[in-house]
């Protein structure tokens, strides 16, 4: 089996800590191929997200991903990325629409082990709006 097969991250997107931890207890170490867990915007903004990160950090070898698609100024992004790194986040999404200084700030604040993933397009955005956005980007750059 090659290294990319069988590595899954399970989305923890419930608003309550207990519901998310039930998923972790049900799956982690019991279902082949599950390498870790992804935490999105809802749990983080409802305060249970950092509790989830703390709890799953106690599991040996678990990968923790925060899918925040961060997009803000460098001064705002840097402390957020640093806090997430302190919480043991291994993978973090940053919007590719962010300006280069913001992406650079995230890279400086991430610490030695976190990986930054740039998100170029949201699949939840209708294709017609994605085309408009690409056209606007083209006109701005010309």
């Amino acid at each position: 089996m090659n290294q990319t097969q069988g590595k899954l991250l399970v989305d923890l997107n419930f608003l309550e800590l207990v519901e998310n931890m039930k998923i972790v207890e049900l799956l982690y170490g019991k279902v082949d191929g599950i390498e870790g867990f992804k935490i999105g915007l809802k749990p983080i903004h409802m305060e249970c997200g950092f509790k989830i990160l703390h709890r799953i950090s106690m599991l040996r070898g678990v990968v923790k991903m925060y899918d925040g698609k961060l997009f803000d100024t460098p001064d705002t992004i840097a402390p957020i990325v640093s806090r997430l790194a302190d919480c043991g986040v291994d993978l973090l999404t940053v919007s590719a629409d962010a300006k280069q200084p913001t992406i650079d700030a995230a890279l400086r604040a991430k610490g030695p082990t976190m990986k930054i993933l740039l998100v170029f397009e949201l699949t939840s955005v209708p294709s017609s709006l994605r085309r408009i956005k690409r056209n606007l980007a083209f006109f701005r750059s010309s």
Side-chain angles (χ1 to χ4, degrees):
M1 178 179 350
N2 75 38
Q3 290 184 345
T4 59
Q5 286 182 325
K7 296 192 178 191
L8 304 173
L9 298 180
V10 176
D11 187 14
L12 301 176
N13 211 21
F14 293 106
L15 298 181
E16 299 295 325
L17 176 65
V18 173
E19 293 171 317
N20 287 298
M21 293 315 298
K22 281 182 187 176
I23 297 295
V24 172
E25 290 167 14
L26 180 69
L27 298 176
Y28 192 70
K30 298 175 181 117
V31 176
D32 286 341
I34 293 178
E35 185 176 24
F37 299 91
K38 175 184 93 79
I39 299 164
L41 290 172
K42 282 194 297 189
I44 289 289
H45 288 281
M46 299 303 289
E47 286 299 312
C48 78
F50 286 103
K51 292 176 186 171
I52 296 167
L53 284 172
H54 176 72
R55 293 250 182 111
I56 63 176
S57 290
M58 294 181 210
L59 300 173
R60 186 181 192 103
V62 68
V63 172
K64 297 159 296 297
M65 175 182 176
Y66 174 52
D67 188 18
K69 300 169 194 80
L70 300 179
F71 181 93
D72 213 310
T73 64
D75 291 343
T76 300
I77 291 292
I80 293 168
V81 173
S82 181
R83 167 107 193 267
L84 291 165
D86 290 344
C87 290
V89 169
D90 301 297
L91 302 168
L92 171 68
T93 59
V94 172
S95 172
D97 289 334
K99 299 209 181 299
Q100 190 64 45
T102 297
I103 295 168
D104 291 342
L107 291 170
R108 281 191 302 275
K110 73 177 186 62
T113 59
M114 180 189 282
K115 304 278 190 258
I116 302 286
L117 307 171
L118 291 179
V119 176
F120 285 87
E121 254 183 40
L122 299 178
T123 55
S124 61
V125 175
S127 61
S128 58
L129 289 178
R130 289 195 302 262
R131 274 194 304 277
I132 291 168
K133 183 179 163 187
R134 280 193 295 270
N135 288 337
L136 288 174
F138 172 76
F139 287 120
R140 267 191 255 141
S141 65
S142 4

